[in-house]
Amino acid sequence: MSLLVVGLSHRSSPVSVLERAALSADAQVKLLQDTVAAEPAAEAAVLATCNRIELYADVDKFHAGVAELSTLLAQHSGVGLDELTPYLYVHYEDRAVHHLFAVACGLDSMVVGEGQILGQIKDSLARAQELHTAGRLLNDLFQQALRVGKRAHSETGIDRAGQSLVSFGLEQLAAGEAVQSWARGKKALVIGAGSMSSLAAATLARAGVAEVVVANRTVERAERLAQILAAAGNTGVVARAVAMDAVPAELTRADVAVSCTGATGLVLTAETIAAGVEGRTGGTDGRTGAPAAEAFRTTPAGPHDGARDRALAPRDAAGHAGPAGDEREENCPLDLSAVPGAAAFSVLGEAAVAGMAAAELEQHAVWADKGDVAVRAQPGPGTGTDPAGDADAIAALAATVALAGRVPERRRPEPVAAAPRPAPALFLLDLAMPRDIDAAVHRLAGVRLVDIESLAEASADAPMAADVDQVRRIVSDEVAAFGAAQRAAHITPTVVALRTMAADVVAGEIARLDGRLPGLDERQRGEIRQAVHRVVDKLLHAPTVRVKQLAAEPGGTGYADALRTLFDLDPETVASVSRAEDSTDEKDRGPA
């Protein structure tokens, strides 16, 4: 049997795919059960976090194992196999061990060095043990991964290379300001009462917020978390719990909201956030002057977006805006109102007019360039009197439209002052996968949203500390040691079976001696038994020690087969020893 991992993470997959493939707790249980029921797999464990989904299994066939695990992941995630396959990665044997150890050390995390992954690995092992899907291999692997992760954090400064996802997210919200200064005195709303939400609430309390409100579907869990926060004497934070239906009202009071639930749909819609901002800021959107909720419901590409209209209005030499409204479109050769989907766009080069007749496109380009179609009707290419030249010019224009989806402007746009965006009144941190907060609120003035996707972008170019190299060396050493231990363990049942066979031979010969020499007293029989046992032990000692050493080296698994062949050991005897050891180990280990 051999270790195989099939999975996808923020490094291999877009966040949108990860979000759709996220596994609920029930789906993880069913996936484990179906995996061990499949033919290639004998053991299974699932590691599912906000930015990775990985299925570990002990399989007897590589190709069949990859096919089966990939199919099961697709079935239980709800993402089609054809769509999921390009984002899956596969690791086998030592590479699979190396991958999990690197994950445990935080080397593969979105924020390098974060330590929360250790708790998630521990939870994965506990789930597999509870369902009896983890045997000797996965028990040893995950427990060793936990030890390697702890070693990396205790022996190196990997913690300095990054922070927890919560801390990193708060840093992004603070936008360069120290988190303690940014958070001081703010009112925080935390949605969810799980491990990530609890960490967020504790981090905000330590950062100096004045109040933490915890909302959860199970109010008792929210109350318990609020009590823990209030009992922490070193923060002085006021903490209280509310039901989920109180969240909209709490948004009108909160300065920062963090959400991380296990919900499969949105917890905070765009309309809910817009209403919260409107209730907090007195009912107007700082960008447009319109009511905040109404301003949000009108999309930036909408026909009544005042900011876009002002930005696109013609300006004089001094940069002042010219006449607004229909005067900007005077003498336009195109009737854009008759073009499906074009009414929401300015006619000054921003209309979605791909597919219009080439002659109309040419006319529009001339008009947008503030030229006169009649004036340009002179001999020469592109003027209407040179058919060959016109054909080339129109073909080039049509190709550009097909590529860009709009008519290109033929003049350099004059500088237009960007509409000022007001300072955020509400800060949102979405740590859930799939997301809890509608990503559309990025467009709402008065709100700053940081979610898993923006965290991935922000951390992509984060500098790697020198400690990362030290952790990588630790991982490499531990992978080699784990492989050696597994190979040595693989030969142990064969060695035990060999010694058992030798003991049986000794016992048979002693019994024969007792029958041939009945006059021996008990002391004499004892001396003979000890002498024979010492001879057998000395003969077997050097070969069995040496074969364990050889088996620990790469490619050493064949020594077990050699022993079984040389001493004609019964395969069933070896297998029974292995089963007995597995049973004993499982009792000794207990839950993770």
Side-chain angles (χ1 to χ4, degrees), residues 51 93 114 121 174 242 261 371 387 441 448 455 472 533:
N51 54 24
E93 295 189 330
E114 63 94 9
I121 291 174
V242 297
T261 73
V441 303
R448 178 178 296 158
L455 284 175
R472 285 173 175 158
H533 277 296

Side-chain angles (χ1 to χ4, degrees), residues 340-408:
F345 296 85
S346 164
V347 296
L348 290 177
E350 299 237 352
V353 292
M356 285 186 179
E360 290 181 299
L361 296 178
E362 175 69 6
Q363 284 182 323
H364 180 270
V366 173
W367 176 84
D369 199 26
K370 295 185 177 179
D372 187 335
V373 178
V375 171
R376 293 191 55 177
Q378 302 172 1
T383 65
T385 59
D386 181 353
D390 279 348
D392 292 340
I394 292 173
L397 179 62
T400 302
V401 171
L403 180 64
R406 65 186 183 91
V407 175

Side-chain angles (χ1 to χ4, degrees), residues 251-255 273-287 290-293 422-426 444-447:
L251 281 173
T252 64
R253 302 179 62 255
D255 301 298
I273 299 296
V277 173
E278 181 177 349
R280 179 181 178 83
T281 60
T284 60
D285 181 281
R287 181 181 57 176
L426 178 60
L444 180 61
V447 172

Side-chain angles (χ1 to χ4, degrees), residues 94-173:
D94 284 353
R95 290 303 306 168
V97 176
H98 188 283
H99 175 73
L100 181 59
F101 287 4
V103 168
C105 294
L107 292 180
D108 198 58
S109 296
M110 186 177 294
V111 181
V112 174
E114 63 94 9
Q116 189 177 4
I117 187 65
L118 287 174
Q120 294 162 332
I121 291 174
K122 185 176 181 181
D123 291 343
S124 296
L125 176 58
R127 184 184 303 108
Q129 289 177 333
E130 181 181 353
L131 295 171
H132 304 289
T133 64
R136 170 190 284 249
L137 176 60
L138 292 186
N139 269 299
D140 290 349
L141 174 69
F142 274 68
Q143 289 179 352
Q144 185 62 24
L146 292 172
R147 287 190 286 268
V148 173
K150 292 174 183 177
R151 179 187 169 193
H153 284 280
S154 64
E155 295 183 11
T156 75
I158 188 65
D159 294 328
R160 295 192 296 267
Q163 315 92 331
S164 73
L165 207 57
V166 171
S167 300
F168 189 59
L170 293 178
E171 286 188 1
Q172 296 302 304
L173 283 181

Side-chain angles (χ1 to χ4, degrees), residues 283-303:
T284 60
D285 181 281
R287 181 181 57 176
T288 66
E294 179 182 344
F296 179 76
R297 283 192 292 269
T298 302
T299 65

Side-chain angles (χ1 to χ4, degrees), residues 310-464:
R310 289 193 296 273
L312 292 170
R315 295 174 179 269
D316 58 23
H320 301 301
D326 292 338
E327 295 180 26
R328 296 185 295 108
E329 303 179 6
E330 185 179 0
N331 298 324
C332 177
L334 304 181
D335 181 13
L336 289 180
S337 62
V339 179
F345 296 85
S346 164
V347 296
L348 290 177
E350 299 237 352
V353 292
M356 285 186 179
E360 290 181 299
L361 296 178
E362 175 69 6
Q363 284 182 323
H364 180 270
V366 173
W367 176 84
D369 199 26
K370 295 185 177 179
D372 187 335
V373 178
V375 171
R376 293 191 55 177
Q378 302 172 1
T383 65
T385 59
D386 181 353
D390 279 348
D392 292 340
I394 292 173
L397 179 62
T400 302
V401 171
L403 180 64
R406 65 186 183 91
V407 175
E409 294 198 17
R410 291 193 171 186
R411 58 184 171 82
R412 182 183 299 275
E414 298 174 2
V416 177
R421 189 173 179 89
L426 178 60
F427 297 85
L428 302 172
L429 178 58
D430 185 359
L431 298 172
M433 183 63 70
R435 73 184 78 219
D436 280 349
I437 302 175
D438 190 345
V441 303
H442 275 296
R443 304 196 306 266
L444 180 61
V447 172
R448 178 178 296 158
L449 170 63
V450 171
D451 55 17
I452 292 294
E453 190 165 10
S454 55
L455 284 175
E457 294 173 358
S459 63
D461 298 323
M464 302 295 285

